[in-house]
């Protein structure tokens, strides 16, 4: 059985832009997610991993490894996770809700939401818009700079620092013409959402997202009991603390149980469904001069609001995905809407660097469970003795 499942995971891909795949007539049993996840965990070299798969009304969950090195305790669906850059798709969900309320518009310039007296840099004849921020095409850099030594993860830069920093920047190209993955861009998007709504982002997030969906342990201010349940990797990543300085870019904490509810919302299989506009393609990468930092799971075929798409839009096997990483975690969420199947995976770093591409391998699990051929992935190089840290020098979201 194991040999059969591994063969399924690494079947050659026959998807092409010219020959779309047909939606599968039948699907493999969802129980296959267990051994496929076990293989992914083993090859990842991670300390701990949680895997959630939702397909229609079916739900699969499994924890692998340990909650912390040497704990001997299996991660469960109540283990606390850092979602890192998956926070961005929560922000764009709020963005679309406010657009539909008429509270703001995608083409609103960021300048409308700036503090009094602060000038947002522009390109001649072109201002940075909320859509630019949400699609990584704002011409802002990835980060504002290195976080001060000792700052906890996802606490830098704060509101005052970033708005003081912004007017001193000069845009290197016209917004909307190139894509560069930008964490600071999403920080400003969160600020704009908060100002437009007239209430703190965390309060809006609870009111419009977590409370309606029943996501009781998703937020930015974990209490001591929750922090005791935070998964720990092989390295000391500092304290579990308030991350409201990066609410829209990287600061969300959650659990696998809550992410199951989020997947059902995204797939439209729960009591509440997300507006399709939140997952739509807004930019064709071929229309851009250049893109950087958007291709960790593979080259995108479309750029959405926080989301990236892979494979042609008219192909039922198309994947809508978002990556995350930092603070000792890698996180990933991917959807196949043709079969109403979605996957969420979070891993903590281990002591061995295997160089496995977690995102591409998770895509293969999604494709396999959706009944589509999978993507050939070259074998990783031999493991090194010391695992590289999975955090950036800026202690920000990695992907």
């Amino acid at each position: 059985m194991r040999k059969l499942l591994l063969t399924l995971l690494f079947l050659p891909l026959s998807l092409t832009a010219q020959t779309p795949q047909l939606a599968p007539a039948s699907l493999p049993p969802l129980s296959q997610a267990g051994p496929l996840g076990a293989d992914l965990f083993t090859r990842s070299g991670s300390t701990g991993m949680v895997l959630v798969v939702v397909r229609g009304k079916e739900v699969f969950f499994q924890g692998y490894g340990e909650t912390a090195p040497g704990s001997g305790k299996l991660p469960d669906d109540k283990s606390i996770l850092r979602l890192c850059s998956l926070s961005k798709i929560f922000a764009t969900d709020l963005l679309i809700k406010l657009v539909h309320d008429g509270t703001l518009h995608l083409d609103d310039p960021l300048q409308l939401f700036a503090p009094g007296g602060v000038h947002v840099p522009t390109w001649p004849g072109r201002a940075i818009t909320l859509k630019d921020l949400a699609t990584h095409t704002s011409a802002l850099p990835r980060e504002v700079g290195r976080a001060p030594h000792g700052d906890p993860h996802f606490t830098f830069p704060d509101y005052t620092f970033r708005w003081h920093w912004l007017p001193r920047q000069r845009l290197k190209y016209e917004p909307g013409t190139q894509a560069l993955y930008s964490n600071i861009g999403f920080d400003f998007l969160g600020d704009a959402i908060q100002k437009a709504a007239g209430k703190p982002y965390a309060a809006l997030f609870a009111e419009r997202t977590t409370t309606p969906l029943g996501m009781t342990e998703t937020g930015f201010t974990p209490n001591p009991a929750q922090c005791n349940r935070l998964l720990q990797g092989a390295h000391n990543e500092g304290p579990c603390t308030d991350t409201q300085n990066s609410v829209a870019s990287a600061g969300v904490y959650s659990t696998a149980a809550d992410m199951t509810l989020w997947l059902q919302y995204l797939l439209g299989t729960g009591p509440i469904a997300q507006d399709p506009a939140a997952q739509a393609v807004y930019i064709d990468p071929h229309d851009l001069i250049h893109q950087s930092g958007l291709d960790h799971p593979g080259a995108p075929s479309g750029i959405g609001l926080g989301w990236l798409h892979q494979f042609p839009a008219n192909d039922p096997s198309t994947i809508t995905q978002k990556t995350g990483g930092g603070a000792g975690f890698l996180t990933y969420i991917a959807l196949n809407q043709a079969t109403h199947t979605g996957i969420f995976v979070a891993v903590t770093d281990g002591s061995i660097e295997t160089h496995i591409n977690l995102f591409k391998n998770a895509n293969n699990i999604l494709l396999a469970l959706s009944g589509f051929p999978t993507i050939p992935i070259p074998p990783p190089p031999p493991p090194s003795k010391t695992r590289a840290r999975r955090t950036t020098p800026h202690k920000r979201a990695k992907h």
Side-chain angles (χ1 to χ4, degrees):
M1 175 61 75
R2 177 178 173 81
K3 182 177 180 181
L4 174 63
L5 290 171
L6 292 180
T7 300
L8 178 63
L9 186 57
F10 292 101
L11 282 174
L13 179 69
S14 60
L15 299 173
T16 67
Q18 294 75 31
T19 311
Q21 290 290 306
L22 297 175
S26 61
L27 299 173
L30 198 60
S31 59
Q32 288 187 1
L36 291 174
D39 180 69
L40 176 62
F41 170 69
T42 298
R43 290 184 294 111
S44 74
S46 301
T47 297
M49 181 177 102
V50 296
L51 172 67
V52 177
V53 182
V54 171
R55 189 176 66 188
K57 297 300 183 182
E58 298 179 278
V59 173
F60 172 89
F61 167 77
Q62 181 64 56
Y64 304 85
E66 298 179 291
T67 57
S71 72
K73 183 179 179 181
L74 196 69
D76 61 27
D77 64 350
K78 297 297 185 182
S79 296
I80 298 295
L81 316 166
R82 295 183 186 269
L83 295 189
C84 307
S85 276
L86 301 196
S87 305
K88 293 177 172 66
I89 56 174
F90 286 94
T92 55
D93 178 68
L94 284 176
L95 175 65
I96 285 297
K97 287 170 179 171
L98 295 184
V99 166
H100 284 189
D101 288 350
T103 303
L104 47 68
H105 305 87
L106 291 180
D107 60 359
D108 282 344
L110 178 59
Q111 184 66 61
L112 285 178
F113 309 98
V118 172
H119 174 70
V120 177
T122 61
W123 187 264
R126 179 64 157 81
I128 296 172
T129 68
L130 302 188
K131 177 187 172 184
D132 296 330
L133 296 172
T135 56
H136 299 285
T137 57
S138 66
L140 294 176
R142 185 183 181 95
E143 311 284 358
V144 302
R146 185 182 295 272
H149 180 71
D151 275 22
H153 290 293
F154 311 139
T155 61
F156 173 83
D158 63 16
Y159 181 92
T160 301
F161 185 100
R162 57 182 174 255
W163 283 102
H164 179 72
W165 167 89
L166 183 60
R168 303 193 302 254
Q169 307 312 302
R170 294 187 62 184
L171 304 185
K172 295 182 179 180
Y173 53 86
E174 181 180 351
T177 64
Q178 299 187 41
L180 171 64
Y181 194 94
S182 177
N183 290 313
I184 186 59
F186 266 78
D187 286 330
F188 288 122
L189 180 64
D191 294 340
I193 289 171
Q194 175 175 269
K195 187 166 185 177
K199 63 182 63 178
Y201 185 102
L204 180 70
F205 183 62
E207 175 187 307
R208 301 297 298 269
T209 304
T210 58
T211 299
L213 294 177
M215 299 173 68
T216 59
E217 295 204 280
T218 300
F220 312 99
T221 54
N223 59 43
Q226 289 173 316
C227 286
N228 286 338
R229 289 187 274 127
L230 178 68
L231 291 189
Q232 301 291 329
H235 304 98
N236 180 2
E237 297 295 343
C240 168
T241 189
D242 186 318
T243 53
Q244 291 186 83
N245 287 340
S246 59
V247 284
S249 63
V252 178
Y253 293 89
S254 191
T255 65
D258 277 8
M259 292 303 288
T260 300
L261 300 173
W262 179 243
L263 278 174
Q264 291 171 331
Y265 169 69
L266 298 176
L267 294 166
T269 62
I272 306 174
Q274 186 180 51
D275 189 317
Q279 294 178 38
V281 172
Y282 286 79
I283 295 176
D284 184 336
H286 295 98
D287 294 335
L288 299 174
I289 298 171
H290 179 70
Q291 71 92 3
S292 177
L294 307 182
D295 56 358
H296 297 287
S301 61
I303 300 173
L305 304 178
W307 294 98
L308 295 172
H309 296 249
Q310 290 178 269
F311 313 140
N314 65 343
D315 193 321
S317 66
T318 189
I319 292 174
T320 306
Q321 54 83 8
K322 182 68 192 84
T323 62
F329 278 84
L330 284 179
T331 57
Y332 190 55
I333 193 165
L335 313 171
N336 174 253
Q337 290 289 5
T339 59
H340 302 291
T341 307
I343 184 172
F344 165 72
V345 61
V347 304
T348 52
D349 61 0
S351 58
I352 301 297
E353 178 59 79
T354 64
H355 303 286
I356 183 177
N357 188 309
L358 179 86
F359 311 128
K360 290 182 178 180
N361 283 273
N363 279 347
N364 274 346
I365 295 178
L366 174 65
L367 289 170
L369 295 174
S370 301
F372 294 109
T374 54
I375 308 169
I377 301 174
S384 57
K385 293 183 179 180
T386 303
R387 187 179 186 88
R389 293 173 67 88
R390 280 188 175 141
T391 57
T392 67
H394 311 299
K395 298 184 178 180
R396 296 300 310 274
K398 188 175 182 181
H399 304 297

